[in-house]
Structures are given as structure tokens and as C-alpha cells.
């Protein structure tokens, strides 16, 4: 009799855990749909983030220019690989109306500054301190992720792979005014 009671209690606990997992899964998927998954052709969500000097950059300030919006981390080897390519192409495209906004996802000021100095980055490097404000609005998963935004503020392409220098150049050409 004692074994049957234990088995019943154990089965009840397993069922409760199973229902809780299913419930959480459904809730998570439903709230994700409310936030919406960004797609090519969507209006890029506006944001305001500080750069390393404390200047605030709003996406809306760049209306009329193409924006190469890159999400990255100092620990991310693919991010580290493509940063020099981005810097090289930025020097060519910045005067043609294409801007790079590199959004670091929640790392310390010291780590980000060391990275900027190591690679001699001249484009604005912004910090999403909570890693949820802008990263969440853009539903960023893997790093690096780059969102190409045209001069009208529409998403042209979402890139979730490491880019070669040729791909960076092609991407910037796509969003030139």
C-alpha cells in the first residue's frame, strides 16, 4: 500500500511539472508573438543609446542615411573577425551616407574601450547596458547579428553570420542613399 501511495505522489509531481513546462512554453511563444519578430520590409524600431563618450544616438537621427546596425560582444570571435572589415569599409562609405552603429550587448566600459582601442574603431560604439532594451526590440539571438536599414528606416536585410570584407562592402552598398 505504501509503494502505491509513493508511486501516485511521484506520478502526480511528474504530471504537474509536465503541465508547468507546457504552460511556460505556450506563454513564452504567445508573448514572443506580441513582441513580434522583425522581418525584411519592417520599420526598424527606434532606440536611444549612449556611445563611449556619453553622447546619445537615436536611430531616428540617422533618417535619410543607410544604417549598418551591428550587435556584438568582445568575447565573440566572429565579431572580432569582422570588426576590422567594418572599420575599413566605414572609411569609404561614411561620406556617402552610410553609418555604422555597433551595439555592444551589456559589457563593461573598460572591456569595450580596450576592444575599440585594439582595433582602432572610429564608428560609434554604443552600449545596450541591460542587453534587453535594443537587443530585445530587435529580437537578437546569435552574435554577431547585423541589421541593414535603408534611408527610409526599413529593414533591408538581417545577417546572422560572420561577414567577409566583401559582404560588408556589398551590405553597405545596399543601403546607400
Amino acid at each position: 500500500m505504501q509503494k502505491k501511495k509513493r508511486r501516485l505522489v511521484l506520478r502526480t509531481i511528474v504530471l504537474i511539472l509536465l503541465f508547468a513546462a507546457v504552460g511556460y512554453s505556450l506563454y513564452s511563444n504567445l508573448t514572443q508573438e506580441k513582441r513580434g519578430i522583425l522581418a525584411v520590409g519592417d520599420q526598424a524600431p527606434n532606440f536611444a543609446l549612449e556611445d563611449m563618450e556619453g553622447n546619445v544616438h537615436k536611430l531616428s537621427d540617422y533618417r535619410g542615411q543607410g544604417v549598418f546596425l551591428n550587435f556584438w560582444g568582445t568575447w565573440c570571435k566572429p565579431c572580432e573577425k569582422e570588426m576590422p572589415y567594418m572599420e575599413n569599409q566605414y572609411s569609404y562609405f561614411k561620406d556617402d551616407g552610410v553609418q555604422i552603429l555597433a551595439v555592444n550587448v551589456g559589457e563593461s566600459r573598460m572591456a569595450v574601450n580596450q576592444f575599440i582601442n585594439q582595433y582602432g574603431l572610429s564608428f560609434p560604439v554604443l552600449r545596450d547596458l541591460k542587453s534587453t532594451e535594443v537587443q530585445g526590440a530587435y529580437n537578437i539571438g546569435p552574435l554577431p547579428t547585423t541589421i541593414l536599414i535603408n534611408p527610409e528606416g526599413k529593414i533591408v536585410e538581417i545577417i546572422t553570420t560572420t561577414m567577409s570584407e566583401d559582404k560588408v562592402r556589398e551590405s553597405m552598398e545596399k543601403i546607400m542613399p
Side-chain angles (χ1 to χ4, degrees), residues 24-35:
Y24 175 76
S25 213
L26 288 172
Y27 171 78
S28 180
N29 284 334
L30 290 174
T31 56
Q32 184 175 7
E33 283 180 26
K34 285 180 185 172
R35 279 187 297 168

Side-chain angles (χ1 to χ4, degrees), residues 31-93:
T31 56
Q32 184 175 7
E33 283 180 26
K34 285 180 185 172
R35 279 187 297 168
I37 303 294
L38 292 176
V40 170
D42 288 349
Q43 190 70 31
N46 195 24
F47 60 83
L49 290 175
E50 283 189 11
D51 65 18
M52 301 307 292
E53 288 79 40
N55 302 311
V56 175
H57 294 259
K58 294 179 188 173
L59 181 61
S60 58
D61 293 341
Y62 293 92
R63 187 60 58 102
Q65 301 178 63
V67 177
F68 186 99
L69 181 61
N70 179 264
F71 292 85
W72 66 283
T74 61
W75 48 266
C76 167
K77 290 299 177 192
C79 302
E80 190 175 349
K81 183 178 179 184
E82 67 185 20
M83 281 292 175
Y85 305 147
M86 290 166 50
E87 179 62 32
N88 289 343
Q89 294 307 310
Y90 180 66
S91 65
Y92 292 112
F93 285 92

Side-chain angles (χ1 to χ4, degrees), residues 6 19 54 70 112 148 172:
R6 274 194 214 143
F19 282 122
N70 179 264
V112 174
L148 302 180
M172 290 186 169

Side-chain angles (χ1 to χ4, degrees), residues 93-145:
F93 285 92
K94 67 181 176 185
D95 295 330
D96 292 331
V98 176
Q99 295 298 319
I100 292 179
L101 296 177
V103 179
N104 178 271
V105 292
E107 294 183 85
S108 74
R109 180 175 295 283
M110 186 175 77
V112 174
N113 272 327
Q114 284 177 342
F115 191 92
I116 291 169
N117 292 335
Q118 180 179 352
Y119 291 97
L121 303 179
S122 61
F123 48 79
V125 174
L126 315 176
R127 291 187 342 165
D128 189 7
L129 295 175
K130 296 179 186 167
S131 294
T132 55
E133 292 176 26
V134 179
Q135 190 179 0
Y138 280 84
N139 297 305
I140 299 302
L143 296 180
T145 293

